[in-house]
Amino acid sequence: MEANQNAQTDAASASTLNDERARRLADRAAMLEAGKNPYPEHSDVEHHVADIEAAYAELPAGEDTDDVVKIGGRVVAKRGQGKIMFVVLRDPTGDIQLFCRINDMPADAWELLGELDLGDIVGAEGVVVRTKRGQLSVAPKKLTLLSKAVRPLPEKFHGLSDKETRYRQRYVDLIVNADVRETFAKRSRIVSAFRRYMEDNGYMEVETPILQTIQGGATAKPFITHFNALNQENYLRIATELHLKRLLVGGYERVFELGRIFRNEGMDQTHNPEFTTMEAYRAYSDLEGMKELAEGVIKAANAAVNDSEQIEYQGTVIDLSGTWPSRPMTEIVSEVMGRELNLDTPIDELRAAAEECGIEVKPEWGPGKLIAEIYDERGEDSIVNPTFVCDYPVEVSPLAKRFEDDPRLTHRFELVIAGHEYANAFSELNDPVDQAERFARQMEEKAGGDDEAMEYDEDYVRALEYGMPPAGGIGIGIDRVVMLLTDSASIRDVLLFPHMKPERGSANGAAAARAKDAKAAGAAASNVAPNRKPTIDFSKIAVEPLFADSVDFETFSRSDFRVVKVKDCVLPPKSKKLLQFTLDDGSGTDRTIVSGIHDYYEPEDLVGRTCVAITNLPPRKFMGIESCGMLISAIHQEGDEERLNLLMLDDAIPAGAKLY
């Protein structure tokens, strides 16, 4: 019933929109037919609202001036009739009222006033006045239509239910919501503060390639593209590190780059496939120098947008003042677990502690990896105020310098605030032989199926062989800093144009090209999402014998199998194997199920699919997320490897349909 009502409401809204748009298009056509240009080439705009308000702040109520101003902006409100009309005009600096009097305006301007729609952009020339009610206004003597808006502004464009539309149509979001405009104005000031701080401290800004032939500088899955001229596969960069450190070899002492990074991974509240970082490298420095840099630049950015070092982030007060503390990872792990745990703790005790946190422990994990996993699951979330988490185990820091007195630990820190990482820093590795060996190990991992492992960068090793001075290096996530300093819950709130799934019924350029190629090849469209590990050789397939472990009918019948529709699918924070599903199970309430199938499917490929789930299982927690049920997959062996295929059904089957 509720779904039908929503559908009727959506249809009515679409009909209203279409009718209003059609009427405005007709008005536009009528203007052109009458010889009026609704999109003139020239405009006279010399003043802005904020400057007018500042200059005439002391103008008494009821007083007119002879001062003429020329302003331009969008019509966001309109009222009045007879011989007086009021129009609210919005420019980039604020809103101001046009106090329109028939005796002050020529006939054509007054006629235009009656034809204006909300959203139209106009130019107004007139004198500054303050009405008897105290409203600072411009009394126009001339009015010009500069751009006819043929699509109406939404009446109610704010609220959680409209977030997807707001992100997708950011231009409308900016028109309607002043707080959104202010967030992005603050972002600009934050980025400027970063640049000023770095330049004031002797760092030179440089630019390094976005299109790269080698995947390096971080462990992440890259975007791959093809360079036609050289018939060459290339990557969009996943980090700027290796090129920046080449510049230290070349003789520059302090370099930084602010720029876009691209990683072909999942999207969630703190991750977007393209994002902005600042990486900086300083010769003859170390981890302590990077701590000073991180604290200094973030405090400078905060000063650019806030008037206090005590800020609030999502209901939690964060204290940015003073010198930020440094704490070893093992100290934090011991605190949250309520007992001493370190690299000397017996391995069985560490495994038990990890399992206590709900971590699926692998037999090959050593003490350092176990400590790091416990920290990721429990420790990071416990940190509120800025803290440099340091002394990382070498197992999880393959590019950092080891401690000379304890080679199990590395000179690395992550800056954590409010349970999230904001910066990652190292005392940089400058031994070319050690670096070559670590690259070789990464290549072994890539050959073993890890598509995030780095590749062997022979030229970078060659650069190190010429000698790189000891150095400190840091990467800071600009988007997360903006989130923190503007109290924004999601990374999409601080990206003007975040990556979005295609709108229903539309195809993007790449998808359309693939569809065209498939049609040319005679391929049929499929409702099934592609498996990342497709089965090809059926001669190698082995399946479990039927009825190997018989289940009586009474037990089987207690499982409630239901058809579910995938409304959303994301990669949970800190997880590379799990996918978090938001499902429509027909009940009217979204269901969350977590499933370890990221090895086989990309989250964006599963949105909109129709699947099957057991819906009456007790809730279980995975990575702190409560999972209510289990998605059904078909599993088989292919050689020594297990393969999984998520069961998908025809989209015509409704959500909530029960399987028998």
Side-chain angles (χ1 to χ4, degrees):
M1 182 67 178
E2 183 181 349
N4 289 336
Q5 289 175 342
N6 289 338
Q8 291 169 2
T9 301
D10 291 343
S13 299
S15 176
T16 300
L17 169 63
N18 291 335
D19 290 347
E20 174 68 8
R21 182 168 176 267
R23 195 269 301 166
R24 292 187 180 210
L25 284 169
D27 289 347
R28 170 192 172 278
M31 288 181 181
L32 291 169
E33 189 174 344
K36 301 175 184 177
N37 184 3
Y39 306 99
E41 180 270 336
H42 182 71
S43 59
D44 290 312
V45 175
E46 299 177 1
H47 303 88
H48 288 92
V49 170
D51 297 330
I52 296 171
E53 289 179 338
Y56 297 93
E58 304 302 322
L59 185 66
E63 187 165 323
D64 291 5
T65 74
D66 295 325
D67 302 336
V68 176
V69 294
K70 297 178 180 180
I71 60 174
R74 189 180 299 274
V75 176
V76 295
K78 179 181 168 185
R79 62 184 175 85
Q81 57 185 357
K83 298 182 178 181
I84 294 179
M85 293 190 71
F86 300 94
V87 174
V88 178
L89 205 65
R90 175 170 297 164
D91 77 3
T93 67
D95 294 356
I96 197 166
Q97 178 176 270
L98 300 184
F99 180 33
C100 305
R101 297 173 286 200
I102 191 170
N103 294 332
D104 292 343
M105 302 174 68
D108 59 342
W110 187 259
E111 181 182 348
L112 172 62
L113 188 63
E115 296 172 350
L116 290 180
D117 289 308
L118 298 188
D120 288 349
I121 296 174
V122 300
E125 178 180 340
V127 296
V128 179
V129 304
R130 192 178 292 277
T131 66
K132 293 179 180 179
R133 295 189 176 184
Q135 181 70 50
L136 186 67
S137 307
V138 172
K141 299 182 181 300
K142 182 179 178 182
L143 194 67
T144 306
L145 178 63
L146 301 178
S147 181
K148 180 65 183 174
V150 298
R151 185 178 291 267
L153 294 175
E155 293 181 13
K156 297 180 180 178
F157 200 73
H158 55 280
L160 293 176
S161 61
D162 290 321
K163 271 193 175 292
E164 287 296 311
T165 307
R166 288 176 50 199
Y167 296 145
R168 194 180 302 281
Q169 299 178 25
R170 181 67 84 186
Y171 38 88
V172 184
D173 193 17
L174 292 167
I175 291 171
V176 175
N177 293 314
D179 58 332
V180 175
R181 293 197 302 277
E182 178 60 20
T183 292
F184 288 105
K186 286 183 176 180
R187 180 184 176 111
S188 179
R189 297 202 294 273
I190 288 168
V191 172
S192 294
F194 263 74
R195 281 199 165 93
R196 285 197 304 273
Y197 182 91
M198 299 303 291
E199 291 168 351
D200 290 346
N201 282 273
Y203 285 83
M204 180 176 71
E205 184 172 10
V206 298
E207 295 173 308
T208 62
I210 290 176
L211 201 63
Q212 301 183 353
T213 57
I214 294 174
Q215 174 186 343
T219 53
K221 185 177 179 182
F223 286 94
I224 302 174
T225 188
H226 187 77
F227 184 12
N228 291 337
L230 295 179
N231 192 26
Q232 181 185 63
E233 296 300 310
N234 287 270
Y235 302 112
L236 300 184
R237 68 183 181 193
I238 57 174
T240 57
E241 175 177 348
L242 299 185
H243 282 88
L244 289 174
K245 288 195 287 190
R246 282 174 169 88
L247 300 179
L248 298 187
V249 173
Y252 293 116
E253 190 170 305
R254 303 185 187 194
V255 294
F256 80 99
E257 182 171 9
L258 260 164
R260 273 302 213 231
I261 300 297
F262 307 86
R263 296 185 181 177
N264 197 354
E265 298 170 348
M267 299 184 293
D268 58 32
Q269 284 202 316
T270 57
H271 293 86
N272 193 68
E274 57 174 313
F275 55 97
T276 303
T277 68
M278 186 193 77
E279 285 198 47
Y281 294 86
R282 178 180 172 184
Y284 312 112
S285 186
D286 55 17
L287 215 58
E288 293 305 312
M290 295 303 101
K291 290 178 184 177
E292 293 176 7
L293 173 58
E295 181 179 317
V297 74
I298 292 176
K299 284 184 175 181
N302 179 62
V305 295
N306 294 313
D307 57 8
S308 171
E309 290 191 331
Q310 278 71 45
I311 64 173
E312 185 171 309
Y313 180 69
Q314 300 300 292
T316 300
V317 175
I318 309 292
D319 187 359
L320 301 178
S321 66
T323 300
W324 297 348
S326 299
R327 298 183 65 193
M329 179 183 286
T330 52
E331 178 184 302
I332 296 170
V333 167
S334 298
E335 182 179 283
V336 296
M337 296 303 293
R339 58 188 183 278
E340 181 69 23
L341 294 174
N342 54 49
L343 297 181
D344 296 317
T345 301
I347 193 72
D348 289 341
E349 187 176 337
L350 289 175
R351 286 175 180 151
E355 289 169 354
E356 181 183 327
C357 298
I359 298 168
E360 186 177 340
V361 176
K362 294 185 178 180
E364 65 269 21
W365 287 357
K369 176 66 172 175
L370 288 164
I371 289 285
E373 289 288 327
I374 296 170
Y375 166 76
D376 283 345
E377 182 64 23
R378 292 274 184 91
E380 189 173 73
D381 290 342
S382 70
I383 298 170
V384 177
N385 289 323
T387 302
F388 296 111
V389 180
C390 53
D391 301 356
Y392 271 66
V394 71
E395 292 98 317
V396 294
S397 306
L399 296 183
K401 277 191 172 181
R402 299 174 190 252
F403 277 38
E404 293 181 2
D405 57 350
D406 189 347
R408 299 175 300 173
L409 297 174
T410 63
H411 292 283
R412 173 190 177 189
F413 74 69
E414 286 187 356
L415 171 62
V416 179
I417 309 172
H420 296 291
E421 173 202 342
Y422 287 81
N424 193 12
F426 300 85
S427 289
E428 296 298 331
L429 181 64
N430 59 345
D431 179 346
V433 176
D434 190 358
Q435 180 67 80
E437 291 172 351
R438 297 193 196 194
F439 276 152
R441 285 195 292 274
Q442 288 281 302
M443 290 298 288
E444 290 173 4
E445 293 180 15
K446 181 173 284 290
D450 186 352
D451 54 6
E452 295 188 352
M454 282 186 274
E455 296 179 349
Y456 195 107
D457 192 333
E458 186 174 344
D459 180 70
Y460 178 67
V461 173
R462 179 169 58 195
L464 290 184
E465 290 179 348
Y466 283 99
M468 186 182 89
I474 190 169
I476 301 177
I478 298 297
D479 307 308
R480 290 190 183 180
V481 172
V482 176
M483 288 172 61
L484 176 72
L485 300 184
T486 61
D487 192 17
S488 299
S490 170
I491 193 171
R492 294 184 175 191
D493 293 330
V494 299
L495 296 174
L496 277 168
F497 302 104
H499 192 79
M500 304 291 293
K501 303 180 186 75
E503 292 184 78
R504 185 176 295 275
S506 69
N508 60 29
R514 284 196 300 271
K516 183 178 179 181
D517 291 343
K519 184 177 181 181
S526 173
N527 285 330
V528 178
N531 195 305
R532 293 169 65 184
K533 299 182 178 180
T535 298
I536 298 174
D537 188 351
F538 285 87
S539 66
K540 294 181 179 180
I541 290 177
V543 297
E544 182 178 308
L546 295 177
F547 310 116
D549 296 309
S550 296
V551 178
D552 63 89
F553 180 77
E554 184 180 354
T555 302
F556 174 78
S557 63
R558 286 201 294 268
S559 296
D560 193 356
F561 291 86
R562 297 277 178 167
V563 174
V564 292
K565 306 281 187 177
V566 181
K567 297 177 66 175
D568 197 12
C569 183
V570 297
L571 188 66
K574 307 173 194 173
S575 173
K576 294 181 180 179
K577 293 189 177 297
L578 298 177
L579 292 180
Q580 179 181 339
F581 291 83
T582 301
L583 303 167
D584 175 7
D585 62 5
S587 67
T589 301
D590 287 349
R591 175 181 294 272
T592 298
I593 291 182
V594 178
S595 182
I597 63 172
H598 189 221
D599 282 347
Y600 306 95
Y601 294 96
E602 292 292 357
E604 57 268 24
D605 290 336
L606 295 173
V607 176
R609 304 293 176 180
T610 301
C611 304
V612 177
I614 301 178
T615 57
N616 62 338
L617 296 176
R620 288 185 61 193
K621 279 198 172 183
F622 295 89
M623 301 290 288
I625 302 167
E626 194 166 80
S627 178
C628 300
M630 181 175 73
L631 288 164
I632 304 300
S633 299
I635 299 174
H636 65 268
Q637 291 289 127
E638 190 167 333
D640 295 329
E641 183 183 1
E642 183 178 82
R643 296 289 184 91
L644 173 148
N645 290 279
L646 184 63
L647 193 61
M648 300 184 208
L649 304 179
D650 190 295
D651 290 340
I653 304 175
K658 184 175 177 64
L659 273 66
Y660 288 92

